[in-house]
């Protein structure tokens, strides 16, 4: 029997029971790792969508994704809220308008089943009774975050769904045309969104009516975005983390007593090296060798 | 008519539950609101999917008392009484996979691909992996990809491309793997198989009356649980039985039937073996 025949024979030999078991287990573990990694990769990609607006009172995105059970009770409440139901002349319910909130479906390219809204299509109307938040069974919509601590009453003005941002090049108010649609649409008109009047030097006799958003008041409801008259809204709501900058701790408002307290009794540190061991004025008075001839 | 009694009963229950949810959203009905992940009866009694809650817990979420009570109610109902009845009496995917199975039988696809290339233990692996991913990524892993959710949420709140998930399930079960989704992969079915092991509602078998026609094994989506057919008169104890009652429907010999084991006695177990 030559070498080749021997090899063929060894392939044909039935596997021993222990070897069969070992190979089977290895295969199962390998498949489990394969499946697990593919699955994680997909889920990790799917959760990375940062460009979406959550209902009022939503926890921060990472907590929201693990806490929301995707039951849609907020969507139920939003659809059947006061003022959204259509009645006929006899007072009989005939239907509802489309709700603000909806659950992400396959094709939305958003984390599946979680509630969100698209402000340009259907903004949050900031109901006084906030029907969506008490409806949430899981606490993903945190009722305490929209409850006034003193009066113990729901207060939709405490919601922070996002922040309106103005793109001034496409805002016709910046061209000098008269438009204050967003300002008029804002439920917190004059507080969350105010008009900054400036002189129009081009005409010399008109004013610019420039919309300015105040991030400490704006709830991100999106009524301004819905109202914006240009083709693609020049004022639009972004998630707050995306729309806001952060100063960090190294700048202090010296004129603000409260802010000043952050640094306590900080003192400046002088580092002395070869360059700074003499004062600049001494260097000027004694240039050292430059004037010698 | 008696041959489809439980089949029709199941379809009525499945459709009625979806209809109540749908009405809860679109018509403002209060009877049953939410969806199969979490819902509320008459706005007071909470119900929650215990497997989803388990994933939330592993992911590190703070579980509200409302969700916890809801999950406990569902858990106790299926653990004590229904077993895996969720799969065959509630889950809308069951309608799709039953349709695939029916097509398989009707056109004889079983004859072409007889060998099953996969083990039914796969679902327990998927269950474990879903919990591992939930833990490491901090989210509910199966709820992100669950075709069950795509289907029932699609019906209640709007479908989107969810119809593609339905088509995939149907084609997969029809051409790739018999009972592929419900009988091999679905971790929710695996979860209910585990907790339903000690259920009270079971199918009993009378091997004396049995003529061995094997009609029951042909229609059973988990035919491994019917290992006692024509051999011994013991009830179906495997947790993988979905209590769908299809075997009872097709049995022409009255050898199968439901029984509710309330007390710890041998009611339902007929102790005389065949050929004795």
């Amino acid at each position: 029997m030559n070498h080749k025949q021997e090899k063929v024979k060894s392939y044909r030999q039935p596997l021993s029971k222990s070897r069969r078991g070992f190979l089977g287990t290895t295969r199962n573990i390998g498949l489990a790792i394969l499946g697990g990694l593919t699955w994680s990769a997909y889920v990790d990609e799917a959760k990375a969508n940062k460009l979406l607006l959550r209902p009022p009172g939503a926890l921060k995105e990472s907590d929201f994704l693990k806490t929301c059970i995707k039951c849609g009770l907020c969507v139920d409440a939003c659809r059947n809220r006061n003022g959204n139901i259509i009645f006929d002349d006899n007072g009989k319910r005939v239907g509802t308008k489309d709700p603000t909130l909806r659950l992400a479906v396959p094709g939305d390219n958003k984390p599946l089943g979680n509630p969100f809204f698209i402000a340009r299509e259907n903004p949050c109307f900031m109901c006084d009774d906030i029907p969506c938040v008490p409806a949430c069974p899981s606490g993903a919509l945190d009722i305490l975050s929209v409850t006034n601590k003193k009066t113990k009453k729901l207060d939709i003005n405490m919601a922070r769904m996002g922040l309106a941002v103005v793109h001034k090049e496409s805002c016709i108010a910046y061209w000098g045309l008269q438009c204050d649609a967003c300002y008029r649409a804002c439920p917190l008109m004059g507080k969350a969104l105010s008009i900054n009047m400036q002189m129009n030097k081009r005409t010399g006799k008109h004013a610019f009516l420039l919309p300015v958003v105040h991030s400490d008041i704006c709830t991100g409801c999106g009524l301004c975005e819905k109202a914006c008259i240009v083709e693609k809204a020049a004022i639009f709501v972004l998630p707050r983390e995306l729309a806001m900058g952060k100063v960090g701790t190294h700048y202090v408002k010296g004129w603000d007593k409260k802010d000043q307290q952050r640094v306590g009794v900080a003192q400046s540190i002088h580092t002395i090296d070869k360059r700074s061991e003499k004062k600049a004025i001494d260097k000027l008075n004694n240039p050292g060798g430059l004037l010698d001839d | 008519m008696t041959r489809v009694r439980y089949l029709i009963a199941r379809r009525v229950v499945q459709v009625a539950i979806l209809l109540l949810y749908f009405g809860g959203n679109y018509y403002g009905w209060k009877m049953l609101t939410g969806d199969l992940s979490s819902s509320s009866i008459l706005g007071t009694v909470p119900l929650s999917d215990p497997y989803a809650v388990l994933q939330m817990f592993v992911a590190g979420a703070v579980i509200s008392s409302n969700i916890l009570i809801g999950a406990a109610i569902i858990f106790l109902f299926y653990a004590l009484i229904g077993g895996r009845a969720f799969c065959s009496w509630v889950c809308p995917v069951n309608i799709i996979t039953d349709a695939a199975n029916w097509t398989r039988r009707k056109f004889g696809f079983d004859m072409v691909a007889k060998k099953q290339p996969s083990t039914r233990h796969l679902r327990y692996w998927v269950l474990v992996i879903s919990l591992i991913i939930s833990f490491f990524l901090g989210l509910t892993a199966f709820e992100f990809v669950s075709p069950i959710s795509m289907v029932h949420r699609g019906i209640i709140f709007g479908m989107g491309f969810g119809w593609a998930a339905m088509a995939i399930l149907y084609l997969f079960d029809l051409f790739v793997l018999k009972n592929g989704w419900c009988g091999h992969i679905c971790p929710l079915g695996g979860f209910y198989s585990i907790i339903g092991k000690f259920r009270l509602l079971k199918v009993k078998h009378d091997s004396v009356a049995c003529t061995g026609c094997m009609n029951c094994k042909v229609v059973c989506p988990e035919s491994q649980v019917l290992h006692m057919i024509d051999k011994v008169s013991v009830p179906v104890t495997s947790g993988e039985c979905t209590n769908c009652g299809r075997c009872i429907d097709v049995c022409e010999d009255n050898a199968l039937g439901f029984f509710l084991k309330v007390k710890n006695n041998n009611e339902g177990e007929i102790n005389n073996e065949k050929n004795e």
Side-chain angles (χ1 to χ4, degrees), chain A:
Chain A
M1 199 188 289
N2 66 30
H3 182 69
K4 204 177 172 186
Q5 278 174 321
E6 224 171 75
K7 212 173 174 184
V8 168
K9 197 181 167 219
S10 75
Y11 281 137
R12 283 194 185 145
Q13 261 168 5
L15 293 169
S16 72
K17 209 173 182 185
S18 63
R19 181 147 182 82
R20 182 177 289 274
F22 169 75
L23 286 177
T25 312
T26 313
R27 180 169 172 270
N28 285 343
I29 292 171
L31 287 175
I33 293 171
L34 171 71
L37 287 177
T38 316
W39 189 350
S40 325
Y42 169 75
V43 170
D44 204 43
E45 281 295 313
K47 75 161 185 179
N49 195 325
K50 292 201 165 76
L51 270 177
L52 39 70
L53 301 176
R54 297 297 186 197
L59 301 174
K60 78 172 171 32
E61 188 66 9
S62 58
D63 288 335
F64 184 80
L65 282 179
K66 64 178 96 160
T67 311
C68 173
I69 198 168
K70 313 183 184 205
C71 64
L73 283 167
C74 53
V75 178
D76 273 10
C78 186
R79 182 183 283 279
N80 297 294
R81 68 179 187 257
N82 291 334
N84 202 48
I85 303 167
I86 305 166
F87 297 100
D88 65 5
D89 295 339
N90 303 321
K92 196 176 159 241
R93 180 187 164 123
V94 287
T96 62
K97 294 175 219 158
D98 278 343
T100 295
L101 298 179
R102 58 199 230 198
L103 297 183
V105 296
D108 280 336
N109 294 320
K110 296 185 165 60
L112 213 57
N114 294 120
F116 72 104
F117 69 99
I118 298 176
R120 184 66 162 168
E121 292 173 8
N122 217 337
C124 173
F125 292 95
M126 292 180 56
C127 315
D128 285 333
D129 56 342
I130 329 182
C132 51
V133 177
C136 178
S138 69
L141 304 182
D142 180 14
I143 200 160
L144 288 178
S145 74
V146 285
T147 307
N148 188 314
K149 284 199 180 71
K150 281 178 195 157
T151 60
K152 306 272 182 217
K153 277 184 184 159
L154 290 173
D155 181 5
I156 187 63
N157 295 343
M158 291 170 73
R160 291 292 178 268
M161 295 168 270
L163 177 61
V165 178
V166 181
H167 177 230
K168 61 184 169 56
E169 278 73 20
S170 57
C171 171
I172 59 163
Y174 277 85
W175 293 8
L177 302 183
Q178 192 193 346
C179 174
D180 56 0
C182 54
Y183 172 73
R184 300 278 161 200
C186 181
L188 296 166
M189 180 168 58
K191 295 180 202 139
L193 186 54
S194 57
I195 294 287
N196 180 13
M197 277 188 260
Q198 282 178 18
M199 194 191 148
N200 185 343
K201 283 183 185 155
R202 184 177 62 82
T203 65
K205 52 188 171 184
H206 298 99
F208 289 115
L209 304 173
L210 308 178
V212 177
V213 181
H214 304 282
S215 68
D216 49 342
I217 314 260
C218 176
T219 63
C221 69
L223 278 158
C224 54
E225 182 176 339
K226 173 78 174 168
C228 184
I229 59 151
V230 299
E231 187 180 317
K232 183 165 176 266
I235 184 166
F236 43 87
V237 180
L238 292 176
R240 287 178 79 84
E241 308 88 84
L242 284 185
M244 287 167 78
K246 193 181 171 194
V247 177
T249 53
H250 60 295
Y251 274 96
V252 178
K253 292 174 192 161
W255 59 93
D256 181 343
K257 268 191 179 164
K258 215 177 166 190
D259 204 35
Q260 184 68 37
Q261 280 171 2
R262 279 200 294 136
V263 285
V265 282
Q267 284 178 335
S268 57
I269 302 166
H270 282 283
T271 314
I272 297 194
D273 60 14
K274 253 191 176 172
R275 284 190 184 187
S276 61
E277 61 193 359
K278 278 185 193 169
K279 284 187 174 171
I281 196 138
D282 296 338
K283 185 88 175 171
L284 285 172
N285 285 335
N286 184 12
L290 248 184
L291 299 176
D292 298 350
D293 216 336

Side-chain angles (χ1 to χ4, degrees), chain B residues 37-276:
Chain B
S37 299
S38 187
S39 46
S40 162
I41 301 175
L42 296 169
T44 44
V45 183
L47 301 172
S48 292
D49 172 1
Y51 173 50
V53 176
L54 181 64
Q55 291 171 71
M56 286 161 68
F57 175 75
V58 174
V62 180
I63 314 281
S64 73
S65 56
N66 191 314
I67 292 282
L68 214 53
I69 294 167
I73 292 173
I74 293 288
F75 181 93
L76 288 176
F77 175 74
Y78 289 119
L80 295 179
I81 303 167
R84 230 186 118 185
F86 171 83
C87 296
S88 58
W89 289 81
V90 181
C91 184
V93 169
N94 172 261
I95 303 175
I96 300 167
T97 56
D98 271 2
N101 252 336
W102 179 85
T103 320
R104 246 178 194 276
R105 283 198 299 274
K106 212 70 188 166
F107 292 92
F109 286 112
D110 285 352
M111 301 299 134
V112 191
K114 257 192 167 172
K115 193 164 181 286
Q116 291 290 296
S118 179
T119 161
R120 284 181 185 265
H121 291 313
L122 190 61
R123 52 187 152 209
Y124 305 113
W125 286 81
V126 177
L127 177 62
V128 170
I129 291 171
S130 76
L131 296 179
I132 294 173
I133 297 176
S134 298
F135 178 77
F136 282 107
L137 293 186
L139 41 77
T140 50
F142 182 62
E143 305 309 306
F144 261 70
V145 296
S146 163
I148 308 168
S149 308
M150 289 181 208
V151 174
H152 73 77
R153 233 185 275 124
I155 293 165
I156 302 163
F157 296 105
M159 192 54 91
F161 282 118
W163 59 266
M166 297 165 78
I168 290 169
L169 285 173
Y170 178 77
L171 295 174
F172 182 77
D173 269 27
L174 180 55
F175 294 127
V176 182
L177 185 59
K178 187 182 179 184
N179 303 125
W181 175 257
C182 298
H184 290 77
I185 298 170
C186 180
L188 184 59
F191 178 82
Y192 281 124
S193 297
I194 295 170
I195 69 167
K197 176 79 183 130
F198 302 103
R199 67 196 180 278
L200 296 177
L201 184 68
K202 284 175 183 157
V203 173
K204 64 180 178 192
H205 175 56
D206 177 0
S207 65
V208 179
C210 179
T211 55
C213 69
M214 297 296 154
N215 275 351
C216 51
K217 283 206 168 186
V218 171
V219 294
C220 180
E222 300 278 351
S223 54
Q224 76 281 6
V225 309
L226 291 176
H227 54 81
M228 77 293 294
I229 294 298
D230 202 23
K231 291 183 190 126
V232 275
S233 294
V234 292
V236 175
T237 51
S238 168
E240 287 167 3
C241 170
T242 65
N243 272 344
C244 70
R246 198 73 191 103
C247 55
I248 305 170
D249 275 348
V250 299
C251 184
E252 289 165 351
D253 311 316
N254 263 338
L256 289 159
F258 278 127
F259 82 105
L260 193 63
K261 190 173 144 193
V262 182
K263 281 183 218 153
N264 201 8
N265 58 19
N266 288 337
E267 182 196 348
E269 294 188 25
I270 301 146
N271 282 327
N272 42 0
E273 293 207 356
K274 193 140 187 166
N275 304 330
E276 207 171 51

